[in-house]
Amino acid sequence: MKIFLAGASGAIGSQLTTALVARGHEVVGTTRSAAKADALRALGAEPVVFDALDPESVADAVAKADPEVIVHQLTALSGPTDFRRAKQMAAATDRLRTVGTDHLLAAARAVGVRKVVAQSNAMWMERIGGPVVDENGRIEPNPPADAGETVAALRHVETAVTGITWAEGIALRYGAFYGPGTGVELAPDAGMAGQIRQRKFPIVGGGAGVWSLVHIVDAVSATVAAIERGKRGIYHVADDDPAPVGEWLPELAHVLGAKPPRRLPAWLVRMLAGEAPVNLMTQARGISSEKAKRELGWTLRYPSWRKGFIEGLG
C-alpha cells in the first residue's frame, strides 16, 4: 500500500518506516525538519517537510502523496526531559493531537484515504476498577487540572479517528515505550534513562501506579499489523506484564547501572511538580493487549519488561 506516515522521523516513526518498507509498502514520511529528510530517504521513504498545524501544508502534502493509508505518529516528545521542557513538549503534542489530527483527517477525506491509524496512549485510563483494563475502558473523565489539556487531547484523537465514517479509523493506545531511540535505553544520558542515572526520576509515594510498558520493536510490529489487518476501533499495545512503578523502576535503574531511585512523598512532589505526576505514579492503571493479539495476529518479542530490560535496551 501507499502509506503517508506523519511523524516518520520520531522514536516510533523511524523504525516503523523501516518495517513498512521491508514489507513492500511505499512510504511517504513527514518531518518538521529539512535536515532529517536525507535520513528518511536513507530508510527508504519519500521525505516530505510539512507543518502539521498549517492546514494548507497538510492538504498539499497529502494530496501530492495520494495515499491509501494515513498513519498519525505526530508528537513533540523528544530531547531533554527536564520538567520545564516536559511541559512545553506536552503542550505542543496536545496541539498535534487536536489541531494536527483535524488537519490530517480533512486532507485524508479529500483524497479518499481508506484507513487512518493514529497514536494514543494508555497512561490516562480511567482511575476506577482493577489494576488492568481492556479496550472497553475509557480515558479518565476527571483528570487532575494540570493534566486536563493532555487528557482532552488524547480523547480528541481517539474520538475523531475512530468516529470517521468514510474510512477505517483506528486508535492505538500504546504503553510506555522503552528500547533504542526512545530515551529509555543504554545510550549515555538518553532522555528518561539519563534522569534515572542522575536519580531525578523518583518513586512517588508508594509507587502503586500500574504502568504497562512496550518495547519499541513490539510497538512497531503491532502498528504494522493494525495498518495491514486492523478494523475500526481501539487496540491496546503493551506487553503482558503490567506492574507498579515501585516494582519496575528499581529494576530498570539496576539494568542501567544506576543507584536505586529516590523515594519522595506525594505531598512534596505535588508541591514541586503538580498533581499530574503524582497521579501517574500512584493511580495509573495498566492495560490488556489480548484484543490486538487475537484480532491482529500480533506476537510480542518481549512479553515482559523483565526480559526486555535485560536484552532490549541496547
Side-chain angles (χ1 to χ4, degrees):
M1 295 179 287
K2 190 170 188 182
I3 298 169
F4 186 92
L5 175 51
S9 60
I12 187 170
S14 58
Q15 298 192 44
L16 182 57
T17 297
T18 299
L20 290 170
V21 170
R23 291 183 62 81
H25 299 296
E26 181 181 353
V27 178
V28 176
T30 80
T31 177
R32 290 171 292 173
S33 169
K36 295 181 179 180
D38 287 343
L40 285 178
R41 191 175 289 109
L43 296 177
E46 177 187 342
V48 173
V49 179
F50 89 149
D51 178 0
L53 301 180
D54 179 347
E56 292 185 4
S57 177
V58 175
D60 182 62
V62 172
K64 288 180 178 178
D66 193 22
E68 299 166 72
V69 179
I70 284 183
V71 181
H72 177 2
Q73 294 285 353
L74 293 166
T75 73
L77 305 175
S78 63
T81 52
D82 62 272
F83 178 64
R84 183 178 300 177
R85 178 162 168 76
K87 290 179 68 175
Q88 295 171 344
M89 291 190 296
T93 297
D94 294 344
R95 288 272 288 166
L96 292 170
R97 286 178 172 154
T98 52
V99 176
T101 295
D102 291 346
H103 292 166
L104 282 171
L105 290 179
R109 184 171 190 176
V111 301
V113 164
R114 59 185 178 87
K115 180 177 285 188
V116 178
V117 179
Q119 176 186 140
S120 181
N121 73 59
M123 297 303 295
W124 287 102
M125 300 305 298
E126 189 172 11
R127 307 316 200 208
I128 61 171
V132 180
V133 63
D134 64 16
E135 287 82 356
N136 291 317
R138 60 179 181 169
I139 299 294
E140 174 57 52
N142 299 298
D146 53 344
E149 291 186 4
T150 291
V151 177
L154 288 173
R155 187 178 298 110
H156 178 88
V157 71
E158 291 189 5
T159 301
V161 170
T162 62
I164 58 178
T165 58
W166 39 268
E168 295 275 9
I170 297 171
L172 301 178
R173 286 179 183 155
Y174 296 105
F177 294 155
Y178 69 95
T182 67
V184 184
E185 55 190 298
L186 293 180
D189 300 323
M192 179 176 159
Q195 287 193 315
I196 292 172
R197 290 188 178 101
Q198 297 170 40
R199 304 189 80 193
K200 294 181 178 179
F201 198 95
I203 295 172
V204 178
V210 175
W211 287 30
S212 282
L213 309 177
V214 62
H215 193 282
I216 194 68
V217 299
D218 288 322
V220 167
S221 66
T223 307
V224 172
I227 292 168
E228 295 180 344
R229 300 183 292 279
K231 303 297 182 184
R232 181 190 315 277
I234 294 171
Y235 292 93
H236 285 175
V237 178
D239 72 17
D240 298 330
D241 194 7
V245 176
E247 182 177 348
W248 64 259
L249 185 53
E251 289 298 318
L252 177 56
H254 175 73
V255 173
L256 291 172
K259 293 181 179 180
R262 302 179 190 276
R263 291 179 178 268
L264 298 181
W267 67 264
L268 178 60
V269 176
R270 186 176 292 112
M271 182 176 66
L272 295 173
E275 183 62 37
V278 174
N279 187 290
L280 288 170
M281 285 283 191
T282 62
Q283 297 185 48
R285 301 177 74 198
I287 55 172
S288 166
S289 300
E290 291 304 311
K291 176 183 174 182
K293 292 190 288 185
R294 181 178 66 251
E295 296 188 6
L296 302 178
W298 177 51
T299 58
L300 288 142
R301 181 183 299 182
Y302 298 108
S304 171
W305 51 268
R306 300 171 200 274
K307 181 178 180 181
F309 285 175
I310 295 171
E311 298 180 3
L313 292 185

